Amino acid sequence: MKKPFVSKEQVETITKSYPTPFYLYDEKGIIDNAKAVYEAFSWNKGFREYFAVKATPNPVLMDILGKIGCGFDCSSQTELMLSEAIGAKGSDIMFSSNDTPAEEYKYADKIGAIINLDDYTHIDFLEETIGKIPETISCRYNPGGVFQMSNGIMDNPGDSKYGMTKEQLFDAFKVLKAKGAKRFGIHAFLASNTVTNEYYPLLAGQLFELAVELQKETDCKIAFINLSGGVGIPYKPDQEPNDIRKIGEGVREQFEKILVPAGMGDVSIYTEMGRFMMGPYGALVTKAIHEKHIYKEYIGVDACAVNLMRPAMYGAYHHITVLGKENEPLDQVYDVTGSLCENNDKFAIERKLPKIEMGDYLFIHDAGAHGFSMGYNYNGKLKCAELLLKEDGSVQMIRRAETPRDYFSTLDCLDSFGKLDQILKNEGI
Ligand SMILES: *Cc1c(COP(=O)(O)O)cnc(C)c1O
């Protein structure tokens, strides 16, 4: 059974100040989980989690993680700026981008972020762009083929655009060393949303063996191995959650089996988890505003796919709890829809739920990562607010909802028609 981290009564109080829809994040859940991650890897002296900013790019949430010791993994200039703005600097920031524009490399170098090169050709590109090769540098590896785990979960690195081949990686290390690099990192992201304790240990085993080979052949000093993201969360109620202690222990076993005997026991382990750090601790809260009975039963809510795109984009399952009806029988079958003029704008399809009344609040679980941040503005729909439920029970608005003025703000040409400002003012916006 999946339990919401708020009650109906709490949400009713919150909606007096903040109308639905909104994102709600659970500070206590975020903190407890981040501490458990650090605990699980405490055996490794240099361990660091670089939170994948793209998952939930909100400075207040990032700051919570930063206070526990996390760094920030960025994929763009604005994410770098956001990290910088909350006080992260230098090696607090990892820049794991791909197809990287020159300005973004320039900016990453300017703020001293660790640069993780996605491709062999980026060595020359980086050198031409910033006029040097940084002393600390990381390369992203792609072994190709299929990455398979014993429970049948698999992913297809051979089909993915990321990283370098093994041969390129060896060449890259040699070239980078000749150009002045002194401390090296290896990075790989081979499977996404793995709901198994096996992924990181398996990946670590492969990367550790690679690291031993690399250090032997190239004589490059490998300072860190970055297991990147991919640790999953149980979106479905019948899935067994990952146990981060077991995952940390599994990585330690590989570390002691492979790296320690090779004299590489000083290598730091880095991670770049996004989903695992935030996913379960954020929810989209929305209100039922329409019911419709045609060939199927529909419940229309006041959120839509611009607020949470994963179901529309991936057919992803997000569990839904009707607040206050946690113990009622699931004797109805509904499609739960948003208002976009697109038939894939459905948060749930043929979902068994309790009887929903207009005005009921729906708590859409596990939206804390890759939720708000994937938002868009199709149909002229606006992005909603983000709220933080603090440890003391109070609620802080950490991002206001967009207004029509925000939506029109990049249309400088609209000003020349002269009416926009008046239209908005008439509406009190
Ligand atoms: C998206 C991404 C992550 C985070 O992935 P999760 O599945 O959210 O853990 C980490 N590193 C890189 C390079 C990414 O692109």
Coordinates of all heavy atoms in Angstrom, one line a residue, residues 222-274:
I222 N 43.4 7.4 -11.5 CA 41.9 7.4 -11.4 C 41.5 7.8 -10.0 O 41.8 7.1 -9.0 CB 41.4 6.0 -11.8 CG1 41.7 5.9 -13.3 CG2 39.8 6.0 -11.6 CD1 41.3 4.6 -14.0
A223 N 40.9 9.0 -9.9 CA 40.5 9.5 -8.6 C 39.1 9.2 -8.2 O 38.8 9.1 -7.1 CB 40.7 11.1 -8.7
F224 N 38.2 9.1 -9.2 CA 36.8 8.8 -8.9 C 36.1 7.9 -9.9 O 36.5 8.0 -11.1 CB 36.0 10.0 -8.6 CG 35.9 11.0 -9.7 CD1 34.9 10.9 -10.7 CD2 36.9 12.1 -9.8 CE1 34.9 11.8 -11.7 CE2 36.8 13.0 -10.8 CZ 35.8 12.9 -11.8
I225 N 35.2 7.2 -9.5 CA 34.3 6.4 -10.4 C 32.9 6.8 -10.1 O 32.4 6.7 -8.9 CB 34.5 4.9 -10.2 CG1 36.0 4.6 -10.7 CG2 33.5 4.1 -11.0 CD1 36.4 3.2 -10.4
N226 N 32.2 7.3 -11.1 CA 30.9 7.9 -11.0 C 29.8 6.9 -11.5 O 29.7 6.6 -12.7 CB 30.9 9.2 -11.8 CG 29.6 10.0 -11.6 OD1 28.6 9.5 -11.2 ND2 29.7 11.2 -12.0
L227 N 29.0 6.4 -10.6 CA 28.0 5.4 -11.0 C 26.8 6.0 -11.5 O 25.8 5.3 -11.9 CB 27.6 4.5 -9.8 CG 28.8 3.8 -9.1 CD1 28.3 3.1 -7.8 CD2 29.5 2.8 -10.0
S228 N 26.8 7.4 -11.5 CA 25.7 8.1 -12.2 C 24.3 7.8 -11.6 O 24.2 7.5 -10.4 CB 25.8 7.9 -13.7 OG 24.9 8.7 -14.4
G229 N 23.3 7.9 -12.4 CA 21.9 7.7 -11.9 C 21.4 6.4 -12.2 O 22.2 5.4 -12.4
G230 N 20.1 6.2 -12.3 CA 19.5 5.0 -12.7 C 18.9 4.1 -11.6 O 18.3 3.1 -11.8
V231 N 19.2 4.5 -10.3 CA 18.6 3.7 -9.2 C 17.1 4.1 -9.1 O 16.8 5.3 -9.0 CB 19.3 4.0 -7.9 CG1 18.6 3.3 -6.7 CG2 20.8 3.7 -8.0
G232 N 16.3 3.1 -9.2 CA 14.9 3.4 -9.4 C 14.0 3.4 -8.1 O 14.5 3.2 -7.0
I233 N 12.8 3.7 -8.3 CA 11.8 3.8 -7.2 C 10.6 3.0 -7.6 O 10.3 2.8 -8.8 CB 11.4 5.2 -6.9 CG1 10.8 5.9 -8.1 CG2 12.6 6.0 -6.3 CD1 10.1 7.2 -7.8
P234 N 9.9 2.4 -6.7 CA 8.7 1.6 -7.0 C 7.5 2.4 -7.3 O 6.7 2.8 -6.4 CB 8.5 0.8 -5.7 CG 9.0 1.6 -4.6 CD 10.1 2.5 -5.2
Y235 N 7.2 2.7 -8.5 CA 6.1 3.5 -8.9 C 4.8 2.7 -8.6 O 3.8 3.3 -8.3 CB 6.1 3.9 -10.4 CG 7.1 5.0 -10.7 CD1 8.4 4.7 -11.2 CD2 6.8 6.4 -10.4 CE1 9.3 5.7 -11.4 CE2 7.7 7.4 -10.7 CZ 9.0 7.1 -11.2 OH 9.9 8.1 -11.4
K236 N 4.9 1.4 -8.8 CA 3.7 0.6 -8.6 C 3.6 0.0 -7.2 O 4.7 -0.3 -6.6 CB 3.7 -0.6 -9.6 CG 3.5 -0.1 -11.0 CD 3.3 -1.2 -12.0 CE 2.9 -0.6 -13.4 NZ 3.3 -1.5 -14.5
P237 N 2.4 -0.1 -6.6 CA 2.3 -0.5 -5.2 C 2.9 -1.9 -4.9 O 3.2 -2.2 -3.8 CB 0.9 -0.4 -4.9 CG 0.2 -0.2 -6.2 CD 1.1 0.2 -7.2
D238 N 2.9 -2.7 -5.9 CA 3.3 -4.1 -5.7 C 4.9 -4.3 -5.9 O 5.4 -5.4 -5.7 CB 2.6 -5.1 -6.6 CG 2.8 -4.8 -8.0 OD1 3.4 -3.8 -8.4 OD2 2.3 -5.6 -8.9
Q239 N 5.6 -3.2 -6.2 CA 7.0 -3.3 -6.4 C 7.7 -3.2 -5.0 O 7.3 -2.4 -4.2 CB 7.5 -2.2 -7.3 CG 7.2 -2.5 -8.8 CD 7.7 -1.3 -9.6 OE1 7.2 -0.2 -9.5 NE2 8.6 -1.6 -10.5
E240 N 8.8 -4.0 -4.9 CA 9.6 -4.0 -3.7 C 10.6 -2.8 -3.8 O 11.4 -2.7 -4.8 CB 10.4 -5.3 -3.7 CG 11.3 -5.5 -2.5 CD 10.6 -5.8 -1.2 OE1 9.4 -6.3 -1.3 OE2 11.1 -5.5 -0.2
P241 N 10.7 -1.9 -2.9 CA 11.6 -0.7 -3.0 C 13.0 -1.2 -2.9 O 13.3 -2.2 -2.3 CB 11.2 0.2 -1.8 CG 10.2 -0.5 -1.0 CD 9.8 -1.8 -1.7
N242 N 13.9 -0.4 -3.5 CA 15.4 -0.7 -3.4 C 15.8 -0.4 -1.9 O 15.2 0.4 -1.2 CB 16.2 0.3 -4.3 CG 16.1 -0.1 -5.7 OD1 15.8 -1.3 -6.0 ND2 16.4 0.8 -6.6
D243 N 16.8 -1.2 -1.5 CA 17.3 -1.0 -0.2 C 18.7 -0.4 -0.3 O 19.7 -1.1 -0.7 CB 17.4 -2.4 0.5 CG 18.0 -2.3 1.9 OD1 18.6 -1.2 2.3 OD2 17.8 -3.2 2.7
I244 N 18.9 0.9 -0.1 CA 20.1 1.6 -0.4 C 21.3 1.0 0.5 O 22.4 1.0 0.0 CB 20.0 3.1 -0.2 CG1 21.1 3.9 -0.9 CG2 19.9 3.5 1.2 CD1 21.2 3.7 -2.4
R245 N 21.0 0.5 1.6 CA 22.1 -0.2 2.4 C 22.7 -1.4 1.7 O 23.9 -1.5 1.6 CB 21.5 -0.6 3.8 CG 21.1 0.5 4.7 CD 20.7 -0.1 6.1 NE 21.9 -0.6 6.8 CZ 22.6 0.1 7.6 NH1 22.2 1.3 7.9 NH2 23.6 -0.4 8.2
K246 N 21.7 -2.2 1.1 CA 22.2 -3.4 0.4 C 23.0 -2.9 -0.9 O 23.9 -3.6 -1.3 CB 21.0 -4.2 0.0 CG 20.4 -5.0 1.1 CD 19.5 -6.1 0.7 CE 18.9 -6.9 1.9 NZ 17.5 -7.2 1.7
I247 N 22.5 -1.9 -1.5 CA 23.2 -1.4 -2.7 C 24.6 -0.9 -2.3 O 25.6 -1.3 -3.0 CB 22.3 -0.2 -3.3 CG1 21.0 -0.8 -3.9 CG2 23.1 0.5 -4.4 CD1 20.1 0.2 -4.5
G248 N 24.7 -0.1 -1.3 CA 26.0 0.4 -0.8 C 26.9 -0.8 -0.5 O 28.1 -0.8 -0.8
E249 N 26.4 -1.8 0.2 CA 27.1 -3.0 0.6 C 27.6 -3.7 -0.6 O 28.7 -4.2 -0.7 CB 26.2 -3.8 1.5 CG 26.7 -4.6 2.6 CD 28.0 -4.0 3.3 OE1 28.0 -2.8 3.6 OE2 28.9 -4.8 3.5
G250 N 26.7 -3.9 -1.6 CA 27.1 -4.6 -2.8 C 28.2 -3.9 -3.6 O 29.1 -4.5 -4.2
V251 N 28.2 -2.6 -3.6 CA 29.3 -1.8 -4.2 C 30.6 -2.0 -3.5 O 31.6 -2.2 -4.0 CB 28.9 -0.3 -4.4 CG1 30.1 0.5 -4.9 CG2 27.7 -0.1 -5.3
R252 N 30.4 -2.0 -2.1 CA 31.6 -2.2 -1.3 C 32.3 -3.5 -1.6 O 33.5 -3.7 -1.7 CB 31.3 -2.1 0.2 CG 32.5 -2.1 1.1 CD 32.1 -1.9 2.6 NE 31.3 -3.0 3.1 CZ 31.9 -4.2 3.4 NH1 33.2 -4.4 3.5 NH2 31.1 -5.2 3.8
E253 N 31.5 -4.6 -1.7 CA 32.0 -5.9 -2.0 C 32.9 -5.9 -3.3 O 34.0 -6.5 -3.3 CB 30.9 -7.0 -2.1 CG 30.4 -7.5 -0.8 CD 29.1 -8.3 -0.9 OE1 28.9 -8.9 -2.0 OE2 28.4 -8.3 0.1
Q254 N 32.3 -5.3 -4.3 CA 33.1 -5.2 -5.6 C 34.4 -4.4 -5.4 O 35.4 -4.7 -5.9 CB 32.2 -4.5 -6.7 CG 31.0 -5.3 -7.0 CD 31.3 -6.7 -7.6 OE1 32.1 -6.9 -8.4 NE2 30.6 -7.7 -7.1
F255 N 34.2 -3.3 -4.6 CA 35.4 -2.4 -4.4 C 36.5 -3.2 -3.7 O 37.7 -3.1 -4.1 CB 34.9 -1.3 -3.4 CG 35.8 -0.1 -3.3 CD1 35.7 1.0 -4.1 CD2 36.8 -0.1 -2.3 CE1 36.6 2.1 -4.0 CE2 37.6 1.0 -2.1 CZ 37.5 2.1 -3.0
E256 N 36.1 -4.0 -2.7 CA 37.2 -4.7 -2.0 C 37.7 -5.9 -2.8 O 38.9 -6.3 -2.6 CB 36.6 -5.2 -0.6 CG 36.6 -3.9 0.3 CD 35.9 -4.2 1.7 OE1 35.5 -5.3 1.9 OE2 35.9 -3.2 2.4
K257 N 36.9 -6.4 -3.7 CA 37.3 -7.5 -4.5 C 38.2 -7.1 -5.6 O 39.2 -7.8 -6.0 CB 36.1 -8.2 -5.1 CG 36.3 -9.6 -5.6 CD 35.1 -10.3 -6.0 CE 34.7 -10.2 -7.5 NZ 33.4 -10.6 -7.8
I258 N 37.9 -5.9 -6.2 CA 38.6 -5.5 -7.4 C 39.6 -4.4 -7.2 O 40.8 -4.5 -7.7 CB 37.6 -5.1 -8.5 CG1 36.6 -6.3 -8.8 CG2 38.3 -4.7 -9.8 CD1 35.4 -6.0 -9.5
L259 N 39.1 -3.3 -6.6 CA 40.0 -2.1 -6.5 C 41.1 -2.2 -5.5 O 42.2 -1.9 -5.7 CB 39.2 -0.8 -6.3 CG 38.4 -0.3 -7.5 CD1 37.6 0.9 -7.2 CD2 39.2 -0.1 -8.8
V260 N 40.7 -2.7 -4.3 CA 41.6 -2.7 -3.2 C 42.9 -3.6 -3.5 O 44.0 -3.1 -3.4 CB 40.9 -3.2 -1.9 CG1 42.0 -3.4 -0.8 CG2 39.9 -2.1 -1.4
P261 N 42.7 -4.8 -4.0 CA 43.8 -5.6 -4.4 C 44.7 -5.0 -5.5 O 45.9 -5.3 -5.5 CB 43.3 -7.0 -4.9 CG 41.8 -7.0 -4.5 CD 41.4 -5.6 -4.3
A262 N 44.1 -4.1 -6.3 CA 44.9 -3.5 -7.3 C 45.6 -2.2 -6.8 O 46.2 -1.4 -7.6 CB 44.0 -3.1 -8.5
G263 N 45.5 -2.0 -5.5 CA 46.2 -0.8 -4.9 C 45.4 0.5 -5.2 O 45.9 1.6 -5.2
M264 N 44.1 0.3 -5.5 CA 43.3 1.5 -5.8 C 42.2 1.7 -4.8 O 41.1 2.2 -5.1 CB 42.7 1.3 -7.2 CG 43.7 1.3 -8.4 SD 43.0 0.8 -10.0 CE 42.1 2.3 -10.4
G265 N 42.5 1.4 -3.6 CA 41.5 1.6 -2.5 C 41.2 3.0 -2.1 O 40.4 3.3 -1.3
D266 N 41.9 4.0 -2.8 CA 41.7 5.4 -2.5 C 40.7 6.0 -3.5 O 40.5 7.2 -3.4 CB 43.0 6.2 -2.5 CG 43.7 6.1 -3.8 OD1 43.3 5.2 -4.6 OD2 44.6 6.9 -4.1
V267 N 40.2 5.2 -4.4 CA 39.3 5.8 -5.4 C 37.9 6.2 -4.7 O 37.4 5.5 -3.8 CB 39.0 4.8 -6.5 CG1 37.8 5.2 -7.4 CG2 40.2 4.5 -7.3
S268 N 37.5 7.4 -5.0 CA 36.2 7.9 -4.5 C 35.0 7.4 -5.4 O 35.1 7.4 -6.6 CB 36.2 9.4 -4.5 OG 37.2 9.9 -3.7
I269 N 34.0 7.1 -4.7 CA 32.7 6.7 -5.4 C 31.8 7.9 -5.5 O 31.5 8.5 -4.4 CB 32.0 5.5 -4.7 CG1 32.9 4.3 -4.6 CG2 30.7 5.2 -5.4 CD1 33.4 3.7 -5.9
Y270 N 31.4 8.2 -6.7 CA 30.4 9.3 -6.8 C 29.1 8.7 -7.4 O 29.2 7.7 -8.1 CB 30.9 10.3 -7.8 CG 32.1 11.2 -7.4 CD1 32.7 12.0 -8.3 CD2 32.5 11.2 -6.1 CE1 33.8 12.8 -7.9 CE2 33.6 11.9 -5.7 CZ 34.2 12.7 -6.6 OH 35.3 13.5 -6.3
T271 N 28.0 9.3 -7.0 CA 26.7 8.9 -7.7 C 26.0 10.2 -8.2 O 26.4 11.3 -7.7 CB 25.8 8.2 -6.7 OG1 25.6 9.0 -5.5 CG2 26.4 6.9 -6.2
E272 N 25.1 10.0 -9.1 CA 24.4 11.2 -9.6 C 22.9 10.9 -9.6 O 22.2 10.9 -10.7 CB 24.8 11.5 -11.1 CG 26.2 12.0 -11.3 CD 26.5 12.2 -12.8 OE1 25.8 11.6 -13.6 OE2 27.5 12.9 -13.1
M273 N 22.4 10.4 -8.5 CA 21.0 10.0 -8.5 C 20.0 11.2 -8.5 O 20.3 12.2 -7.9 CB 20.7 9.2 -7.2 CG 21.4 7.8 -7.3 SD 21.0 6.8 -5.8 CE 22.1 7.5 -4.6
G274 N 19.0 11.1 -9.3 CA 17.9 12.1 -9.3 C 16.7 11.5 -8.7 O 16.2 11.9 -7.6

